[in-house]
Amino acid sequence: MNPYQSFKERVRREVSIDSYINRFVPLRRNGRNFVGICPFHNEKTPSFNVNPEAGFYHCFGCKASGDLFRFVMDYQKVDFVKSLEILSEYSGIPLVEQTKEEEENQKKKEALYQIVSRAMEYFQKNLNTKQGELAYRYLESRGLYAEDIKIFQIGYGLPGFANLKQDLFRSETEVRLGEQLGLLKRADNNRDPYDFFRNRVMFPVIDSRGRVVAFSGRILGESEEAKYINSPNSLIYDKSRTFYNLNLAQDSIRKLREAVVVEGVFDAIGLYRKGLESVVAPLGTGFTEGHVRILKNMADSVFLMMDSDKAGTKGAFRAVNLLSREGVTVKVCKIPEGKDPFDYARNHNKQEIRALLESADSASHFMIREILSGATVTSMPEEKQAGVKRLFEFIKPLERETDKQVYLEEGARQLGLSFSSLFQDFRGKGQVNTPTPNVDTKKERQAVRNVKPSSVILCERIMIARLIQNQELFSFSDELLSLEFKDDVSAYFWDYLYTKYLQNENITMAEILSKEDIPSDYLGIITEHFKSDEVVTQNLFKEMLLHHQDLLDESRMDELIKQMSDVNLSIEEKTNLLSELSVLKTEKNKRSMYLRTIQTQEV
């Protein structure tokens, strides 16, 4: 069951849709309904209707319609989860009913939020004292002035080891909270804690709800200490899922559906000041899958504007890899003259920075250029051969055939080689077949339809058809995500359906059949497996998943038996094959036992 289902039902009962919409769209009563000027298109005569009894709105002009949650998503341009948060804050209804343990945890978080917020105010106050003059002059030397300091709420951590305990914390309990936040450190339990941020310009990290959660501190002057240090993870701060400047950038990111990612706080500040408001920076860690998930929910494309040094290039490569795997369009900006984004922004206006983004490298061009390590059309044959080897090693573990083709084509172009030759060598390494470029994909799909499907492919198509007919089966999304689809049609539909599911869009047979962006021949293949008279329970779908794994294992077992018949195999090789065969048989027997258990329960 959807974890938010009870929350949604309570909101529908307790929050009047007309009252909420009237906050943004003036409504007047018209019989049982309310009418107003539609907020989703330009009109002079009201055609926007709100039905409070049924709990939905509909515009007879632009056909926009939906419930309260859809209105929040479309009007405020947020994703589904964010719409829940907005309505929870508006109504006072908690998203999920809390246990006593969760309530205690929430109290601890609130205490930490209070401490870290007071710490920010303390650091800001320090900047405006005589001791803070050096820090203030440093910020001015970097081109930051009073207005910038106010916008980014910059402060200063005083020199010395005991300022926070003396000036900020009021009790031993608060000292312990300061330690949890990383504001204080303790060499051992027998010694007093000391200030972690000393003689540093302090940049507060603020989350998407405007709450201070951590700090990044930049050292003043020459020191053997690290130039930047950041707060450690805590109950309110996870550096692998937090961006600096997201609080200021989020509206622009959602509006433009794009984000600019830089390395550090000054880079983000520099670009933001020049009008590039969709800029964020990860802190204290490399770009992670957690960062990808945050951006994917807000943007369709990402520009990486990293430093041009080795570390920056390495970070960009990792970020491109992670974002590309999640289907996010990525481009990489190369900053002229080896400058970092902050220095570039100081000397260029918004239009020039925007032009730099527009000229950015595609993800494939950047990644292949780095993989080839300088090998180009004019390189010596040995350098090209080494580049090809690195290219194959990179492509080999990729899951999607389309990704393999894209990278092979780009590699061939950068090396000045024939794609067909490169592809033949790659396939000769034992890789799965990759389609040649410039093929007629429509003819290819028709050919797929005319070929009698194997048992595995037939099983996959039936599962996809049942998924379309019963959205509750998305409770198996984790199992389906780990599935290795053998059928291109089923793989296409799974990617399409899962994306719609994450966006909380309607997934019904009628909706899918009306989609113009789905190839008609693919629709024809799947509709053959729709059944209106079959009720697919959770257990039945689980049986399908188990059956699919059985079919895959049986196919692999047949391959192993054929390989073992090779008289040229050594004893060690045969032993390894036999061991794998034994494991597969054991796993198959376990599934059979589990399947019988399920079937017994159904009876």
Side-chain angles (χ1 to χ4, degrees):
M1 182 178 177
N2 189 324
Y4 301 118
Q5 190 61 38
S6 60
F7 169 78
K8 290 169 67 177
E9 291 171 357
R10 188 174 167 188
V11 166
R12 290 190 178 108
R13 287 195 309 269
E14 299 181 21
V15 179
S16 170
I17 186 171
D18 55 292
S19 296
Y20 186 86
I21 292 178
N22 194 52
R23 298 170 65 221
F24 310 98
V25 182
L27 299 173
R28 61 177 176 81
R29 181 171 285 280
N30 183 19
R32 292 185 175 181
N33 295 345
F34 291 85
V35 297
I37 299 295
C38 181
F40 302 115
H41 80 289
N42 293 323
E43 66 173 9
K44 295 182 179 179
T45 304
S47 59
F48 184 75
N49 278 252
V50 179
N51 185 325
E53 293 181 6
F56 74 91
Y57 63 88
H58 178 76
C59 176
F60 292 97
C62 68
K63 308 304 180 186
S65 62
D67 61 0
L68 180 57
F69 301 95
R70 172 54 59 186
F71 178 83
V72 175
M73 285 189 283
D74 291 347
Y75 185 79
Q76 299 185 241
K77 295 181 174 59
V78 296
D79 60 19
F80 173 65
V81 174
K82 185 64 178 178
S83 75
L84 298 181
E85 293 176 359
I86 290 171
L87 286 168
S88 176
E89 188 172 341
Y90 168 76
S91 65
I93 301 171
L95 276 176
V96 181
E97 293 296 331
Q98 294 184 326
T99 63
K100 286 186 177 180
E101 183 180 349
E102 289 170 334
E103 288 178 1
E104 287 298 317
N105 201 42
Q106 187 59 38
K107 288 179 181 177
K108 291 178 184 177
K109 286 184 177 181
E110 291 301 327
L112 291 172
Y113 284 128
Q114 289 179 22
I115 291 292
V116 78
S117 179
R118 278 169 40 202
M120 181 184 72
E121 294 172 0
Y122 172 74
F123 292 136
Q124 287 176 308
K125 181 181 176 182
N126 290 342
L127 189 63
N128 294 308
T129 64
K130 187 174 180 63
Q131 287 178 291
E133 285 182 8
L134 183 62
Y136 206 102
R137 286 201 300 272
Y138 167 75
L139 291 171
E140 287 183 329
S141 73
R142 297 297 302 270
L144 271 64
Y145 302 103
E147 186 62 25
D148 305 311
I149 292 169
K150 181 179 178 181
I151 290 173
F152 297 100
Q153 304 183 70
I154 302 171
Y156 175 55
L158 298 171
F161 288 82
N163 295 297
L164 288 177
K165 187 175 181 183
Q166 176 180 317
D167 300 337
L168 181 66
F169 299 114
R170 302 163 182 163
S171 65
E172 189 61 31
T173 299
E174 290 192 352
V175 168
R176 292 294 181 184
L177 292 175
E179 290 183 65
Q180 291 178 37
L181 291 164
L183 292 168
L184 297 174
K185 293 289 182 179
R186 196 187 294 262
D188 58 58
N189 290 330
N190 297 321
R191 295 188 181 183
D192 288 337
Y194 61 89
D195 293 358
F196 180 58
F197 296 100
R198 303 180 304 279
N199 193 30
R200 290 180 180 271
V201 176
M202 300 298 293
F203 301 90
V205 182
I206 302 172
D207 69 11
S208 60
R209 297 175 66 178
R211 301 171 301 193
V212 188
V213 294
F215 293 96
S216 179
R218 205 277 187 197
I219 194 74
L220 284 180
E222 297 297 325
S223 173
E224 294 182 0
E225 295 185 43
K227 184 182 290 186
Y228 284 93
I229 58 174
N230 303 295
S231 297
N233 281 348
S234 69
L235 197 60
I236 61 173
Y237 175 55
D238 180 353
K239 63 183 69 177
S240 69
R241 296 183 55 82
T242 306
F243 284 106
Y244 178 76
N245 200 51
L246 184 62
N247 58 311
L248 299 178
Q250 56 187 339
D251 290 343
S252 179
I253 293 174
R254 288 194 175 97
K255 181 180 178 181
L256 299 174
R257 298 299 301 171
E258 71 174 34
V260 179
V261 177
V262 293
E263 285 188 63
V265 293
F266 267 109
D267 296 330
I269 290 171
L271 292 176
Y272 188 90
R273 290 166 65 239
K274 286 300 180 76
L276 201 71
E277 296 180 351
S278 57
V279 59
V280 294
L283 281 175
T285 182
F287 199 83
T288 69
E289 292 178 353
H291 291 126
V292 173
R293 284 191 287 272
I294 291 170
L295 292 182
K296 188 177 180 180
N297 286 332
M298 302 171 68
D300 302 316
S301 60
V302 172
F303 292 93
L304 298 174
M305 192 178 279
M306 305 297 201
D307 293 351
S308 12
D309 59 15
K310 191 172 182 180
T313 301
K314 184 178 179 182
F317 188 90
R318 172 175 170 78
V320 169
N321 206 7
L322 290 172
L323 287 161
S324 297
R325 283 202 322 233
E326 291 296 320
V328 180
T329 301
V330 197
K331 288 193 173 183
V332 183
C333 302
K334 186 175 182 181
I335 304 173
E337 303 171 11
K339 293 183 177 179
D340 62 30
F342 179 79
D343 289 333
Y344 185 81
R346 286 189 69 176
N347 301 310
H348 294 83
N349 59 34
K350 182 180 179 180
Q351 289 72 28
E352 290 170 324
I353 297 171
R354 191 76 222 177
L356 185 64
L357 294 179
E358 297 302 327
S359 64
D361 277 347
S362 66
S364 59
H365 184 275
F366 167 78
M367 292 191 76
I368 297 306
R369 187 183 67 216
E370 295 305 316
I371 290 165
L372 296 180
S373 299
T376 64
V377 174
T378 59
S379 296
M380 298 292 289
E382 293 80 7
E383 293 175 323
K384 289 187 178 183
Q385 289 170 340
V388 168
K389 182 180 179 182
R390 288 191 296 272
L391 178 62
F392 287 175
E393 289 172 352
F394 171 74
I395 293 175
K396 181 180 177 181
L398 298 180
E399 296 179 0
R400 293 186 296 199
E401 298 302 309
T402 50
D403 290 343
K404 293 179 182 179
Q405 181 180 340
V406 166
Y407 289 129
L408 281 171
E409 287 179 340
E410 182 60 35
R413 190 188 67 78
Q414 291 191 31
L415 291 171
L417 301 175
S418 159
F419 170 80
S420 59
S421 299
L422 197 63
F423 168 65
Q424 290 298 329
D425 283 351
F426 179 68
R427 187 169 60 179
K429 298 275 183 185
Q431 310 305 317
V432 292
N433 292 343
T434 305
T436 54
N438 303 320
V439 296
D440 187 334
T441 55
K442 187 174 181 180
K443 287 182 179 179
E444 198 174 67
R445 293 199 302 265
Q446 289 172 344
V448 168
R449 188 174 182 181
N450 292 331
V451 174
K452 185 178 179 180
S454 66
S455 299
V456 174
I457 288 176
L458 185 62
C459 180
E460 290 176 358
R461 292 177 181 178
I462 292 173
M463 285 196 295
I464 291 295
R466 300 300 173 270
L467 196 65
I468 293 172
Q469 289 182 286
N470 185 0
Q471 193 170 349
E472 289 185 3
L473 296 177
F474 274 94
S475 59
F476 290 97
S477 57
D478 287 344
E479 289 89 336
L480 289 163
L481 280 170
S482 63
L483 209 62
E484 181 186 351
F485 283 100
K486 299 298 182 183
D487 177 35
D488 289 341
V489 177
S490 301
Y492 170 88
F493 268 103
W494 167 242
D495 288 341
Y496 185 92
L497 293 170
Y498 188 61
T499 300
K500 299 296 181 187
Y501 172 70
L502 290 178
Q503 295 171 349
N504 202 42
E505 292 189 21
N506 199 22
I507 303 173
T508 64
M509 190 163 55
E511 283 287 330
I512 295 300
L513 291 175
S514 66
K515 295 292 185 183
E516 295 181 358
D517 54 340
I518 300 177
S520 58
D521 44 334
Y522 277 18
L523 281 172
I525 289 172
I526 292 299
T527 52
E528 291 176 1
H529 303 288
F530 286 150
K531 283 191 176 182
S532 58
D533 58 345
E534 182 181 17
V535 177
V536 180
T537 64
Q538 300 273 324
N539 280 349
L540 280 175
F541 197 76
K542 182 67 176 178
E543 289 180 30
M544 290 183 188
L545 288 167
L546 294 171
H547 179 57
H548 179 264
Q549 189 59 54
D550 273 350
L551 293 171
L552 291 176
D553 284 356
E554 286 168 5
S555 175
R556 177 58 182 159
M557 287 161 68
D558 289 341
E559 290 178 12
L560 291 171
I561 292 170
K562 287 180 182 179
Q563 291 177 30
M564 289 171 64
S565 64
D566 186 349
V567 295
N568 295 318
L569 287 179
S570 66
I571 295 177
E572 183 181 358
E573 289 172 328
K574 284 189 176 182
T575 302
N576 290 336
L577 293 174
L578 188 62
S579 176
E580 184 181 350
L581 184 64
S582 175
V583 170
L584 290 173
K585 286 181 177 179
T586 301
E587 291 299 318
K588 193 172 184 300
N589 289 335
K590 287 181 180 178
R591 281 195 299 273
S592 296
M593 293 175 64
Y594 180 64
L595 188 57
R596 284 195 293 272
T597 302
I598 293 176
Q599 292 168 342
T600 302
Q601 291 173 349
E602 288 180 333
V603 174

